[in-house]
Amino acid sequence: MTESIRSGADCGPALPTAILAIVIVIGLGMLVVGLLTSGGIGASEVGPQQRDTVLADGTAASYVAVTADGKLTAVVEGKVSGSTRLEGGQVLSLAVEGGHTLVGSSNGTIDLLDQNLKRVASATFDGRVVALARYKGGWVAAYGYGQYAKSYEIAVLDDQLMVHQSWAVPATLTALASGADGSLFAGGSSGQVFVISPTGKVVCTGFVNSSVTTLGISKSGTGVLVGDGGGGVSLVGEDCAVSWGSNPTASGIRAVVSQGGFAISGDDVGDISVLSDTGTVEASSRVASSSIRALIPNAKAVLAIPSSGGVMAVDTTALGGILSPLWVAAIALIEVAAAALLVWRIRTRHPRVARLFGRQVRKTWRNRLAYLFVLPALAIIALFFYYPVADAIRVSFTNTNLATGSSQWVGLANYFHVLIDDRYFHRGLLNLVVFLVAALVKTFSVPLLCALLVFWLRNAKHRAVYRVLLVLPVVVPDLVVTLLWKTIYQPEGGLLNATLQAIGLGNLQRVWLGDENTALFAVLFVGFPFMNAFAFLIFYGGLLQIDPFVFEAASLDGVGPLRRLVTIELPLLRPQSGILVFFSVIGAIQGIASVFVLTQGGPNLATYVPALEMYDNIGQGAVAYASTIGVVLALIILVLSTLVRWRPRRSRDSAR
Amino acid sequence: MSGEIAGRRSRRQLTQHTVLIAIIVIAFIPFVFTVLLSLRSSSSIYVDFFTFPWPPSLHNYGGAFQALGLPILRSVIVCASSIAGVLLLGCPCAYALARLKFAGRTLIYRAVMLVLLVPSVILLTPLFSLARGLGLVGSIWGLIVYYIATALPLAIFLLTPFLAAQEEEMFEAARLDGAGDLRILVRIAIPLALPILATIAIMTFLNLYNDFIWPSLVLRGDNETAILALTRFAPPTQSGFSSRPDVGLQTAGDVIVALPQLIVLGAGMRFFIQGVTAGAIR
C-alpha cells in the first residue's frame, strides 16, 4: 500500500487505490473473523418475571411453570393466563402436553389438570413421584422411596390416570423420557440410562459419568440426550451405547433439549451450552444469574426458564458465526469486485507497481518447483512438530479428558498439581535422577574404554576386527535385549538364578524384578557390560579426528596412558562428549519402553519414572495432565541440554 | 633400554587385547544363551538349565513363527513404506534447500532444523490426540504417517549439507544440457547421495523397528507390530511345569524378531559404521 502511494505521486491519484485496498483488507478481516468465530448465544427476555421456579414444561406458545411454594402458572404467548396452588406435598415432577398438565408430588399424588388448571383426576402411588412423561397417548410415571432405594416403579397410566401396567426398575430413578416412536428411557442416580421395551423389560443399560438429572429425546438421531449432575451431556443410543459424551460446564445440568441439529443444555448456574450433533461444544455462555429450570424448544429459538428472572428466548440460528451466510456471500461478492477494480486500477494508473509486482509473481512462479519440493515436507513438519508443541502447551492449561469429554481452562492447576501434590511424579523424579546418573556412567565407561583400547592397538587389521565385533550387538533390537534380560532375571528358568544355584550361592536367588530392593538395580543392570555401539563409534570417530602430531609430541615427552587420557583425549573429545551427554539425558528421560516391559514402574513404584506416568495418563484419556508432564519433562531436557552446551564455550573463553 | 620399552609396549598391547576380548565375551553371553535355550524344550530347561542342546530341536521356531510371523511381516511393511515415504518427501526438500535459490530458503531450513531440538516427550500426547482426530488410531496408517513425519527432519538434516557440499559444475552442466530440476534430482543428486541415503534408511529402520511406545498407544490388539507382539508373547509351557512360561518358545521368538534387523544391519553395517563414525548423528 505504501508502494501504491509513493508511486501514485508520479503516476496518478493514489487515494482511490488506497481506499480500494482498505476495503479489501477490512472485508477480508470481516470474513476471517466471521467465519472463524462462533457467535455467542443470543438471549433476550421474552416472558414474565418469576421467582423460585422449580419446574416448567410445555411448548413455547403455552407452558406451565411451578414455583417452590406449589403455585402453578400457565403462560400463553408470553402472558400469564391463569394460576392455581396445589395443596399437599412438594411438586417433584411435571408434564404438559395437549392442553393437559400432569403434576407429581413428594407424597405420591399425581394430579391431572386441564387447560384452565382445574383438577380433573387424581391418583396416589407408593412413593415420591420423581418423573412424568407423555407416553403412547397416556402418561408414564416413575416413583419410589428415598434416594438410595434398590428399586423404583414405572407405571403406564391412561388419560384417567388408571394404571395399565407397572414394572420395577432396579435403581433410584431420577428422570424419564419417551420418544414419539414409543421408545422409553429412564435415568438413575448412579448414572444409569435404561432403555425400556414396551413390555417393561430393561433392554439394556448405558452409563454416564454422574447422576442423571435430566433426559431429552434427540431429534437428530435415535436415542436420548442425557444431562448429568457433573455438568456432562451425552447421547445414548437405543442400544445403550454412548455415542458421545461432552462436558460443556462444571455444574449440574438441569435441562437438555434437541433443536435444529443441536443439543442445548442449561445448568445450575445459568449457563446455556449448544452442542453439535457430534457432541462438540459450539458455544456456551451465561444467560441467567440462576439455575436454568427448563428448556422449551420452539421453531427458531429455545425458551430458557430460569429459577429467578425473566424467561429467555435463546437464539440458535446465529451459531455458525457472527455473520449469517447471506452476509458472508455479500461481503465475498464485494471483495471480488473490489479486487478486480484494484487490479484494473493498478495496471492502468500505477504501471511501476504493476511491473514490480509482476516481477515478484513471475519470480515465485519460476521457482515453483523449489516450493513444490519443499512444501509437502514443511507441511508435515508443521503438523507433526509445531502444532503439537503449541497444542501440548495449550492443553496443559485445561482439564481436557478424552474419556469424559471435559475441556475447560484451569490455568496453572495442572502444574501446581504435578509439582506440589503428585507424589507419584516426585518418586518418579527421584528414580529419574538415578537413571540419569546411571546413563551417564554407562556412556562414559565401557564405550570410551573400548574406543581407547581399539584406537591404541598397533595392528590395523586387529582394529577393524574389534570394531566390527564391538558394534555387532547392534543387530539385536534394543527391546529384544531388554526381553532377553527379563528372561535372565526370571526366578525359574532364568540364567541368573540358575547360575547362582550352580555355583552354590542358591541362597542369593531372588525374584529380581519383583523385589522392591533389587528391582531398580536389576533394571539398571540390563545390557551389561553396556557396550553401546553408538557411543563407541562416536568416541572412536572423535579419536580419529585428533591430530596425530599431538600424540607424537606427548609420546616424546614420555606421557603415560592415564595422563594422556586426562590431558589430551578427554579435552579433545569434548564435542563428542557433549553430544553423548545430550543423548544420554534425552534417552534417560524419554526412554520408558524398557522399564515398561520389565516392571511397568513397580514393584511399589521402585522403578517408576515420570514419563511412565505420562504414558499411563494418555492411556486413560487424561491428555491435559499427560501434556503437563510432557511440558515439564521437555523443559527439564531443554535446561539440561543448554547447560551441556554452555560448558565448552566457557572453557574456550577461559582457555584464551 | 629400548628393549625394555618395547617389552612394556607389547605387554600393554596384550592387556588391551585381554580386556577387549573379555568385554566382547561378556557382551555375547546373553545372546549365546538365548540361541542355546531356543533350541531346547522348556521342560528340559526346567529340569537342567546348563545342558548343551544336542541334538538341537527347531521345534520352538515353528511355534514362534506361527505366533510372530505375521507381526514381523507387518513391521517390515510398516518400516519399508515409512522409509520410502521419508526418502520420497526428504530428497526433494533437501535438494531444494541445498541447491536451489528461492525466497524464504534460509527461513525454511531453520524452521526444519529447529524441530530437531524439540524433545519427543512433549509431542507424544498431542500427537495421540491428533491421530485420534485424524481417525488413525487402530490402523497401521497411524504408524506409517507418524513415522514418516517424525523421521523426516533427521533425513533432511543429514542430506542437505551433503548435497550442498557437492560441486556446482556438475549441476550447472546438466542445466546447460537442458535438464530440469526434477531430472537433476533423480539423475544426479540422488545417485550421488546413495551412501548417505543408505545411512538414513538404516538409522530410520533402527528407530522404527525398535519403537514400542507409539504402537502400544495407537494399535489395538489384532494388528500388532513385531516388538509389540513379542512383549506380549508369554506362552505357558505345554507339558509339565505348565504354570511357568515356555522359555524355549520365548527365546525362539526373541531370535526370529531380531532377524529382520540382523539382515538389514548385516547388509548395511558399513553404512551404519561410516555414518555414525563420521558424526552423522551430530
Side-chain angles (χ1 to χ4, degrees):
Chain A
M1 220 178 75
T2 45
E3 281 291 346
S4 74
I5 291 169
R6 218 180 294 143
S7 63
D10 47 45
C11 297
L15 196 61
T17 317
I19 290 174
L20 273 176
I22 291 171
V23 165
I24 290 176
V25 168
I26 292 176
L28 277 181
M30 282 169 75
L31 277 183
V32 168
V33 172
L35 290 175
L36 291 186
T37 55
S38 60
I41 295 174
S44 48
E45 223 173 279
V46 292
Q49 290 275 341
Q50 283 189 315
R51 291 172 61 85
D52 297 332
T53 304
V54 287
L55 292 165
D57 194 22
T59 63
S62 150
Y63 64 88
V64 174
V66 186
T67 47
D69 54 4
K71 193 172 128 188
L72 270 70
T73 310
V75 180
V76 177
E77 303 295 349
K79 292 186 181 62
V80 177
S81 70
S83 71
T84 182
R85 190 182 297 268
L86 290 175
E87 301 302 322
Q90 186 192 350
V91 176
L92 292 179
S93 50
L94 176 76
V96 177
E97 198 164 311
H100 293 286
T101 302
L102 203 62
V103 185
S105 79
S106 61
N107 60 13
T109 48
I110 294 183
D111 293 309
L112 181 64
L113 313 175
D114 66 8
Q115 273 156 308
N116 306 318
L117 300 183
K118 282 249 161 61
R119 184 184 299 163
V120 289
S122 186
T124 307
F125 294 86
D126 188 19
R128 299 147 50 90
V129 181
V130 293
L132 293 166
R134 190 77 179 173
Y135 184 59
K136 286 190 191 165
W139 307 90
V140 61
Y143 54 92
Y145 283 106
Q147 287 192 326
Y148 305 102
K150 285 233 172 61
S151 92
Y152 266 49
E153 296 276 322
I154 291 183
V156 178
L157 318 172
D158 67 8
D159 272 345
Q160 264 63 53
L161 299 189
M162 299 294 288
V163 177
H164 276 221
Q165 291 170 290
S166 75
W167 327 295
V169 175
T172 303
L173 294 182
T174 52
L176 279 175
S178 72
D181 56 350
S183 56
L184 183 62
F185 303 91
S189 64
S190 307
Q192 312 98 317
V193 179
F194 301 100
V195 173
I196 298 164
S197 75
T199 55
K201 264 176 73 178
V202 173
V203 178
C204 58
T205 312
F207 285 93
V208 297
N209 292 317
S210 182
S211 164
V212 174
T213 48
T214 179
L215 295 170
I217 294 297
S218 166
K219 284 176 194 158
S220 53
T222 55
V224 66
L225 293 165
V226 184
D228 67 44
V233 176
S234 319
L235 177 66
V236 176
E238 281 181 358
D239 54 354
C240 290
V242 179
S243 305
W244 49 259
S246 185
N247 264 53
T249 76
S251 313
I253 302 292
R254 282 290 144 210
V256 56
V257 291
S258 176
Q259 163 90 335
F262 294 106
I264 296 146
S265 70
D267 76 0
D268 260 340
V269 293
D271 281 352
I272 291 214
S273 306
V274 179
L275 295 92
S276 76
D277 54 7
T278 53
T280 337
V281 180
E282 299 280 344
S284 191
S285 65
R286 186 153 300 180
V287 300
S289 53
S290 60
S291 170
I292 304 292
R293 290 302 177 171
L295 290 169
I296 297 170
N298 191 5
K300 265 183 78 179
V302 168
L303 285 190
I305 298 168
S307 155
S308 297
V311 173
M312 311 271 198
V314 178
D315 193 1
T316 54
T317 50
L319 276 169
I322 292 172
L323 298 175
S324 70
L326 210 69
W327 270 106
V328 171
I331 294 174
L333 211 70
I334 294 172
E335 284 291 275
V336 171
L341 213 65
L342 185 69
V343 169
W344 175 76
R345 228 194 119 71
I346 288 177
R347 285 184 71 164
T348 53
R349 298 291 175 94
H350 312 286
R352 228 177 66 197
V353 179
R355 262 201 311 279
L356 232 130
F357 184 72
R359 203 182 306 152
Q360 194 57 48
V361 167
R362 269 196 302 280
K363 221 163 114 191
T364 309
W365 181 244
R366 209 181 314 125
N367 288 333
R368 65 191 181 280
L369 203 63
Y371 292 108
L372 205 69
F373 280 177
V374 171
L375 281 183
L378 198 65
I380 285 187
I381 287 170
L383 181 63
F384 281 81
F385 286 91
Y386 284 99
Y387 162 74
V389 170
D391 194 44
I393 294 168
R394 179 187 68 82
V395 168
S396 71
F397 293 107
T398 68
N399 64 356
T400 307
N401 189 312
L402 300 177
T404 64
S406 66
S407 131
Q408 274 175 322
W409 194 258
V410 295
L412 286 168
N414 289 327
Y415 288 94
F416 285 132
H417 183 72
V418 85
L419 297 174
I420 296 167
D421 302 330
D422 189 344
R423 75 181 188 89
Y424 294 99
F425 186 81
H426 300 157
R427 178 65 197 271
L429 274 187
L430 273 183
N431 288 338
L432 182 59
V433 173
V434 177
F435 276 104
L436 259 174
V437 173
L440 290 173
V441 170
K442 285 179 193 175
T443 309
F444 283 88
S445 55
V446 178
L448 179 59
L449 177 72
C450 288
L452 288 167
L453 290 178
V454 174
F455 182 75
W456 287 108
L457 283 176
R458 249 176 281 149
N459 187 321
K461 208 173 257 173
H462 291 173
R463 284 203 297 266
V465 170
Y466 278 119
R467 202 177 61 167
V468 169
L469 280 178
L470 286 168
V471 175
L472 206 55
V474 86
V475 302
V476 183
D478 287 347
L479 221 68
V480 171
V481 174
T482 307
L483 288 168
L484 293 190
W485 279 84
K486 198 180 178 185
T487 323
I488 289 174
Y489 288 136
Q490 254 168 30
E492 284 162 299
L495 177 62
L496 186 53
N497 276 351
T499 311
L500 288 173
Q501 179 80 43
I503 59 176
L505 292 171
N507 59 332
L508 286 182
Q509 291 185 343
R510 293 275 183 287
V511 185
W512 298 99
L513 290 169
D515 187 330
E516 217 179 307
N517 299 313
T518 56
L520 185 60
F521 246 128
V523 170
L524 291 176
F525 207 72
V526 164
F528 181 80
F530 317 124
M531 186 41 234
N532 179 339
F534 270 96
F536 165 73
L537 285 175
I538 287 175
F539 279 132
Y540 191 74
L543 288 172
L544 287 177
Q545 278 173 11
I546 296 175
D547 193 336
F549 288 117
V550 178
F551 290 125
E552 220 165 279
S555 140
L556 285 177
D557 288 348
V559 173
L562 204 65
R563 236 189 99 197
R564 189 178 60 207
L565 175 70
V566 176
T567 56
I568 302 176
E569 283 149 352
L570 279 184
L572 288 176
L573 284 177
R574 224 176 207 150
Q576 283 77 17
S577 309
I579 297 162
L580 287 172
V581 169
F582 179 65
F583 279 114
S584 304
V585 168
I586 284 203
I589 294 179
Q590 299 185 158
I592 50 168
S594 71
V595 176
F596 184 86
V597 169
L598 291 170
T599 61
Q600 303 217 350
N604 198 11
L605 301 186
T607 56
Y608 202 68
V609 284
L612 209 54
E613 188 180 9
M614 182 182 84
Y615 180 86
D616 291 340
N617 273 294
I618 298 175
Q620 291 157 13
V623 289
Y625 201 58
S627 293
T628 311
I629 297 175
V631 171
V632 170
L633 292 180
L635 286 177
I636 292 175
I637 289 175
L638 287 180
V639 168
L640 287 179
S641 59
T642 336
L643 287 179
V644 171
R645 247 164 247 185
W646 266 342
R647 214 183 290 147
R649 217 179 285 156
R650 222 183 275 151
S651 72
R652 219 180 295 144
D653 290 345
S654 58
R656 254 178 230 152
Chain B
M1 182 71 185
S2 69
E4 195 184 309
I5 290 176
R8 206 194 299 161
R9 277 208 181 140
S10 66
R11 241 180 296 139
R12 203 179 281 159
Q13 289 278 309
L14 196 68
T15 325
Q16 279 168 255
H17 281 290
T18 321
V19 174
L20 282 171
I21 289 170
I23 288 174
I24 289 169
V25 167
I26 297 174
F28 273 84
I29 284 179
F31 304 129
V32 171
F33 258 94
T34 301
V35 175
L36 291 181
L37 289 180
S38 74
L39 297 171
R40 299 168 61 189
S41 79
S42 272
S43 2
S44 95
I45 294 171
Y46 283 122
V47 172
D48 182 8
F49 189 84
F50 295 99
T51 331
F52 198 75
W54 197 259
S57 140
L58 289 177
H59 179 77
N60 289 328
Y61 282 88
F65 189 77
Q66 216 165 19
L68 299 168
L70 206 61
I72 290 174
L73 184 69
R74 191 176 291 119
S75 269
V76 169
I77 292 173
V78 165
C79 287
S81 28
S82 304
I83 291 170
V86 167
L87 296 181
L88 211 65
L89 288 165
C91 286
C93 182
Y95 172 73
L97 290 175
R99 304 234 60 110
L100 300 179
K101 289 192 176 60
F102 54 94
R105 181 174 75 154
T106 330
L107 189 73
I108 292 174
Y109 185 64
R110 288 206 185 126
V112 174
M113 291 306 101
L114 190 65
V115 154
L116 289 170
L117 295 176
V118 177
S120 66
V121 71
I122 196 179
L123 299 174
L124 195 64
T125 318
L127 284 181
F128 179 70
S129 303
L130 183 68
R132 245 176 70 112
L134 296 175
L136 293 172
V137 170
S139 85
I140 61 169
W141 288 108
L143 290 189
I144 294 175
V145 171
Y146 169 87
Y147 285 157
I148 291 176
T150 49
L152 200 50
L154 184 72
I156 296 172
F157 171 70
L158 292 178
L159 195 52
T160 308
F162 178 86
L163 289 176
Q166 301 303 314
E167 297 290 331
E168 174 62 21
E169 279 89 22
M170 210 169 359
F171 296 93
E172 195 53 47
R175 226 165 263 138
L176 287 177
D177 287 347
D181 280 317
L182 193 64
R183 204 179 158 80
I184 295 177
L185 169 68
V186 175
R187 288 291 165 82
I188 298 178
I190 289 179
L192 263 179
L194 275 183
I196 193 111
L197 291 181
T199 306
I200 291 170
I202 287 170
M203 302 258 213
T204 312
F205 178 87
L206 275 183
N207 285 337
L208 305 192
Y209 193 74
N210 278 288
D211 191 22
F212 169 78
I213 294 299
W214 183 253
S216 76
L217 277 175
V218 169
L219 297 182
R220 301 263 181 270
D222 59 341
N223 54 3
E224 296 166 316
T225 59
I227 290 288
L228 201 55
L230 185 64
T231 57
R232 293 170 184 170
F233 184 53
T237 303
Q238 284 304 319
S239 55
F241 306 103
S242 61
S243 64
R244 302 180 188 177
D246 193 332
V247 178
L249 204 53
Q250 267 181 338
T251 45
D254 291 340
V255 173
I256 65 167
V257 167
L259 278 182
Q261 184 161 328
L262 192 137
I263 293 167
V264 168
L265 267 175
M269 183 61 96
R270 193 159 56 94
F271 300 108
F272 176 76
I273 292 182
Q274 273 174 6
V276 183
T277 315
I281 65 166
R282 231 178 284 164

